[in-house]
Amino acid sequence: MDIDRRTLLRVGGTTLVSGLLAGCSAPDAESSAKDVSAEAAVAAEWNVLRARLHDAFALGIAGEFDAGATVAEDTFARFEQATGEWGAHEKLEETSETHYEEFEEAIGQLKTRLREENTEEMKVELGLGNEHLRKAQVQLVGERNARALDMQLLGTRFENAAMVAAAGNLSGARTIATRALSAFEDGDLHDALESANEETYDAFEHAAKTTIRAAKNEKADVVANQSNDAVTAAVSGSYGLGTENVAGAGHIAVMQAQAFDANALASLGGPSTSFAHAATLNSYRVRAADCTRLVARGETKRAKTVAEDVFADFEASDAHEALESGDHDAYEGFESGLEALTAAAESGDGTAVEEAVSKVDTNLRAGIEALAAGVQPAILQAGFFRARFADALERHERVESNAAATVAQSLFARFEKNELGMHETLEGTSEKLYDRFEHEHLKEGLIPALKGNGSGATAHFEGAMQALLDFEMKAASASVVAGAEASFMAGRAFDAAVAKLGDAKRANAIVEATFAHFESGAGGYHEALEHADADRYESFEAALGNVDGGDDTYAKAVEFGHEAVESVSAVVTNAGGDFGGAAATIVQDSFSQFEKSEVHENLESGDRNAYESFEAKLTAYADALDSGEGVDSANDAFVTAALRAEFTVVGELDKAPVGEAKNGTGEESKTKLKGGPNVQKGVPDGADHVIDVKAVSFDPGKRSIETGDTVAWKHVGGEAHTVTAREESLPEGASYWASGGFDSEKKAVTGWDAGKGAVQSGQSYVHTFETKGTFEYYCIPHEAAGMTGTIVVE
């Protein structure tokens, strides 16, 4: 009978897995290498995929499971986008449908196992993904060439050890390096390399063993140096194992793999300086929102001053250039929104002020999304919410219950829309915190109390704010929480300035409460700032203490706002600078290897423009890592240049698939696919919830809604997808639903095979839920990769 491959690997033990990871050849493997050209470049790209499988696994071994899962998902997304006749995706599918499908399933399952922190199953999926890519390489370029690529892959695995060591996990680095050395010694590469070039063999083995000893002795700098030597020896040795084309293209692929290692390392550090700029933008959101309250109170002159001061602060800040380069449309929209806000405030037009504040906020949120990553936008949103709840509490204390209720209801609506991902991040972080915030304090406590249908409004205000602070602390590091709390505390300082206009005693009380919050820890902000910069810590406290009920309270609040922004920069620099520098070193060492290598001259003579672009993009990437600015975009630019370089060194630049449409005609292949009912262009204004459909996941994967709510699944990445309900798990009384308008799951699957039910770039699938219960769904072409989701209708 047939035996499931994953079951076989589970029971096969370490020997089988080690063999797969080492890339053992069959006993009757060919004795000569194929003379290949464009095929060599594609096989090299598949080696990048193999290296990234090991990246994800290595991060899991080091305990960085979420980071590993992110690498796996990103790898899948890039694979899906590798279009064109000679792209990694289509060429794998063309070479072997089995290897293509098994690889896709393995990488999707690897991501899932990383999320589950299941190390044994991670090993299984790594083995399968690696095995099927290697077998495809053998089909495309021959066994000996595949062996040369195996040798280079081993080098990148030692680079993984350096990556993990630089992040401070020497134990993980030792494990990774030990596994790589075992794969070398247990497979046929050991004898093959020794026979081909004994000097290179000695150099590689020495570097490998020294890396392990250095990790054991907790010497991260030695791990970095020796792993770099292992990469150099592995690349050198590959020339004696395969053809020059394969070894040359493979070396460029090794540099790609090193670039991805650097990116992963940079992400493991503290937040980048881009996050500090995002925190600055968040503080502008808080200040702009105050204009609505000031105009409502007739303080139009002060409201105009606030708008003008935000503009002046932005023009002089580092966040100005960061936003302009990160999202130019958001930059222009923010500045024009501030101009409109200034004019509306001066005229006292409350409606126009609200519209301008909304425009400012919309564009600042877009800027935050461009500059922040991971959970960071959600944490900043929590800080913004805390500041706005504090504003509403002030109105409630002044017996302005209608105004306070308006703020609370507005925040609830924004929370339900999942602005900056806060709703789903909070729910995913802790169901208990989610219930405390949304149900206990906001939806079922505060809002009814403000409407006169309950009591304890003040307690519910404070409870909601505390739940958000607890969320910040649970979901993020102290350096990220600092960005959120800086926005909150700066907002409270401006609240004191507003209170001073009619109540100096209240202004003092606000400052005292804010100072007490900071002294109590402020989610780790206090300790993080004191540790990062003692002078800034003292000036921060002094500036906050100066905001009192005396003269020039507003000017002092502005001064404290500057201190808050600078404090975040200090905390961020202290938390993340080391990893950025170490990541830049990986790329710089890769460049040094390239300058001395055989492939350098081949690339330069092959195409001058491709050569210069490759070097320029590599240099720019190292600079981005060092500065912490624009890392992802610089990485993407280098990867594109590297792909062109791979095809250049094999003399096939005209076949490089960069930018080529999938059908090879310059037009999207989506014209062959159809959506069907409820698949439309864009997202409808009436959608209550939006779920991003990414390359291999639905984000969020689980969403809680209410009966009658409309959900839009928006395509944001990868190839065409489907949104297909699992019929067997439908709640009682619920009708079947799926993109394409099918009335059964069987018809949906058959329809997809016929090109129907597709949700493509620029489109969304929309469905309204009328029945309570739990609805499970999936994407038909990417189900094996773990692309599933759940809707809970309450």
Side-chain angles (χ1 to χ4, degrees):
M1 66 179 208
D2 292 336
I3 300 176
D4 179 76
R5 296 284 293 161
R6 285 172 172 75
T7 301
L8 179 63
L9 278 176
R10 289 189 192 99
V11 302
T14 306
T15 301
L16 176 57
V17 174
S18 296
L20 290 177
L21 302 189
C24 294
S25 60
D28 59 347
E30 61 184 81
S31 58
S32 61
K34 287 184 179 180
D35 185 14
V36 291
S37 52
E39 294 86 354
V42 177
E45 276 297 291
W46 292 343
N47 234 36
V48 177
L49 295 174
R50 294 175 69 189
R52 298 209 74 196
L53 287 172
H54 282 283
D55 289 348
F57 181 80
L59 288 166
I61 289 294
E64 299 286 351
F65 293 101
D66 286 343
T70 298
V71 167
E73 182 161 343
D74 179 69
T75 304
F76 194 106
R78 290 177 184 274
F79 176 66
E80 289 285 282
Q81 295 159 10
T83 57
E85 179 184 359
W86 291 95
H89 181 281
E90 286 196 13
K91 186 56 70 172
L92 181 58
E93 191 172 12
E94 175 190 317
T95 300
S96 169
E97 187 77 24
T98 298
H99 297 328
Y100 164 76
E101 291 177 352
E102 289 287 344
F103 165 70
E104 283 206 332
E105 181 173 3
I107 195 168
Q109 291 296 323
L110 177 59
K111 181 195 76 170
T112 300
R113 303 313 176 202
L114 280 157
R115 295 286 187 208
E116 296 170 349
E117 301 186 8
N118 189 329
T119 305
E120 287 304 310
E121 294 298 318
M122 283 160 43
K123 187 187 301 182
V124 169
E125 301 306 336
L126 169 63
L128 282 165
N130 185 74
E131 175 194 20
H132 285 285
L133 284 174
R134 188 186 191 280
K135 285 184 174 179
Q137 288 174 326
V138 172
Q139 286 183 232
L140 196 63
V141 298
E143 175 61 43
R144 282 193 57 196
N145 278 326
R147 195 177 301 157
L149 293 171
D150 288 339
M151 191 67 237
Q152 294 180 343
L153 179 66
L154 273 175
T156 66
R157 292 174 64 179
F158 282 95
E159 191 72 78
N160 287 344
M163 170 184 70
V164 171
N169 191 331
L170 275 300
S171 176
R174 182 184 178 189
T175 298
I176 292 164
T178 300
R179 287 176 58 85
L181 180 59
S182 295
F184 174 66
E185 293 179 336
D186 295 341
D188 68 336
L189 280 175
H190 181 279
D191 293 342
L193 181 60
E194 186 175 21
S195 176
N197 190 320
E198 188 171 355
E199 183 179 349
T200 302
Y201 161 81
D202 289 339
F204 179 79
E205 190 170 54
H206 173 76
K209 291 180 177 179
T210 306
T211 299
I212 295 170
R213 285 197 299 271
K216 180 181 179 181
N217 295 327
E218 299 188 350
K219 296 182 178 180
D221 56 338
V222 178
V223 171
N225 291 333
Q226 291 302 311
S227 63
N228 188 53
D229 287 348
V231 173
T232 301
V235 169
S236 177
S238 67
Y239 279 88
L241 298 175
T243 64
E244 184 176 356
N245 270 354
V246 168
H251 185 184
I252 301 296
V254 167
M255 296 179 71
Q256 269 201 71
Q258 290 174 304
F260 283 122
D261 285 344
N263 200 326
L265 175 58
S267 72
L268 294 179
S272 68
T273 53
S274 292
F275 170 74
H277 300 324
T280 300
L281 300 184
N282 208 45
S283 70
Y284 296 153
R285 297 174 68 204
V286 175
R287 291 168 66 178
D290 282 340
C291 291
T292 304
R293 177 170 41 149
L294 288 167
V295 170
R297 292 179 56 178
E299 299 288 346
T300 56
K301 184 177 180 181
R302 175 56 56 83
K304 178 187 177 185
T305 298
V306 169
E308 290 174 336
D309 285 348
V310 169
F311 208 137
D313 191 286
F314 176 64
E315 289 293 304
S317 73
D318 292 335
H320 180 282
E321 183 178 349
L323 179 59
E324 187 173 12
S325 60
D327 188 331
H328 191 75
D329 289 341
Y331 161 75
E332 292 186 338
F334 171 50
E335 289 207 331
S336 65
L338 281 177
E339 291 173 356
L341 180 58
T342 302
E346 186 174 29
S347 69
D349 186 337
T351 300
V353 167
E354 288 183 0
E355 291 174 351
V357 168
S358 178
K359 182 176 183 179
V360 166
D361 190 81
T362 297
N363 285 284
L364 287 176
R365 279 190 280 113
I368 287 170
E369 289 181 322
L371 298 175
V375 302
Q376 294 170 357
I379 302 304
L380 291 177
Q381 181 81 337
F384 172 76
F385 266 44
R386 278 169 44 76
R388 296 294 289 130
F389 275 124
D391 291 345
L393 178 58
E394 291 303 313
R395 293 189 176 195
H396 175 68
E397 295 292 340
R398 291 172 58 88
V399 199
E400 298 174 5
S401 294
N402 288 337
T406 297
V407 173
Q409 288 175 314
S410 171
L411 291 175
F412 178 60
R414 297 175 73 165
F415 179 67
E416 287 297 287
K417 289 181 179 179
N418 198 35
E419 281 187 358
L420 294 180
M422 190 180 91
H423 182 290
E424 293 305 327
T425 304
L426 173 54
E427 188 174 13
T429 299
S430 170
E431 287 279 357
K432 290 183 179 180
L433 281 176
Y434 167 76
D435 287 337
R436 266 178 58 197
F437 172 70
E438 180 174 20
H439 297 291
E440 179 183 346
H441 291 302
L442 183 54
K443 183 179 178 181
E444 298 166 13
L446 178 59
I447 293 176
L450 291 172
K451 290 180 177 180
N453 298 321
S455 60
T458 298
H460 285 303
F461 266 122
E462 294 173 348
M465 286 194 285
Q466 184 61 49
L468 290 177
L469 178 60
D470 291 344
F471 158 59
E472 293 173 12
M473 295 168 63
K474 187 174 183 64
S477 65
S479 51
V480 174
V481 173
E485 289 306 291
S487 301
F488 168 70
M489 292 181 64
R492 294 302 279 149
F494 284 101
D495 287 344
V498 172
K500 168 62 172 58
L501 296 174
D503 189 345
K505 184 177 180 181
R506 180 58 190 162
N508 279 328
I510 292 172
V511 173
E512 289 172 2
T514 306
F515 209 115
H517 170 63
F518 184 66
E519 287 299 301
S520 68
Y525 183 17
H526 181 284
E527 183 178 355
L529 178 56
E530 187 174 17
H531 177 69
D533 190 329
D535 291 339
R536 179 64 64 187
Y537 163 77
E538 291 180 359
S539 62
F540 175 91
E541 285 202 330
L544 177 58
N546 286 336
V547 183
D548 53 26
D551 295 335
D552 299 323
T553 303
Y554 174 73
K556 292 175 181 177
V558 171
E559 182 180 344
F560 174 68
H562 288 305
E563 283 291 331
V565 167
E566 292 301 323
S567 74
V568 176
S569 294
V571 170
V572 165
T573 299
N574 182 69
D578 290 344
F579 288 4
T585 298
I586 290 176
V587 175
Q588 290 161 353
D589 288 344
S590 176
F591 202 159
S592 297
Q593 293 171 358
F594 170 70
E595 290 290 300
K596 305 170 189 174
S597 70
E598 296 182 46
V599 75
H600 180 279
E601 184 177 344
N602 291 341
L603 177 58
E604 187 174 11
S605 61
D607 186 275
R608 186 73 188 180
N609 289 334
Y611 162 74
E612 290 180 350
S613 175
F614 177 79
E615 287 207 333
K617 295 297 188 291
L618 185 58
T619 301
Y621 182 44
D623 291 342
L625 288 164
D626 202 30
S627 67
E629 299 282 353
V631 171
D632 288 341
S633 59
N635 182 38
D636 290 343
F638 171 66
V639 167
T640 298
L643 181 56
R644 289 178 56 81
E646 287 167 4
F647 279 84
T648 298
V649 299
V650 299
E652 298 281 10
L653 179 57
D654 59 321
K655 293 182 180 178
V658 179
E660 184 178 356
K662 191 158 188 182
N663 59 11
T665 66
E667 299 178 358
E668 293 286 346
S669 60
K670 67 182 181 181
T671 56
K672 299 178 181 179
L673 301 174
K674 297 180 180 179
N678 292 335
V679 175
Q680 63 182 68
K681 183 178 181 179
V683 176
D685 293 336
D688 298 297
H689 310 276
V690 178
I691 294 176
D692 287 344
V693 183
K694 298 182 176 181
V696 68
S697 66
F698 296 103
D699 186 14
K702 182 179 180 181
R703 186 73 191 235
S704 296
I705 66 173
E706 295 185 352
T707 305
D709 282 359
T710 297
V711 179
W713 282 265
K714 177 185 177 184
H715 186 292
V716 299
E719 297 184 320
H721 300 285
T722 72
V723 182
T724 308
R726 293 195 188 279
E727 194 165 12
E728 63 181 17
S729 64
L730 282 177
E732 184 176 354
S735 299
Y736 188 77
W737 54 277
S739 55
F742 304 103
D743 59 12
S744 73
E745 186 174 0
K746 182 178 180 180
K747 290 181 180 179
V749 173
T750 302
W752 170 253
D753 290 338
K756 299 176 182 178
V759 183
Q760 302 178 79
S761 179
Q763 297 179 337
S764 65
Y765 165 66
V766 183
H767 180 70
T768 300
F769 290 83
E770 303 291 357
T771 306
K772 291 184 178 181
T774 299
F775 296 79
E776 297 178 348
Y777 65 94
Y778 64 100
C779 170
I780 293 172
H782 302 122
E783 180 188 11
M787 193 167 180
T788 63
T790 304
I791 297 291
V792 178
V793 184
E794 301 172 340

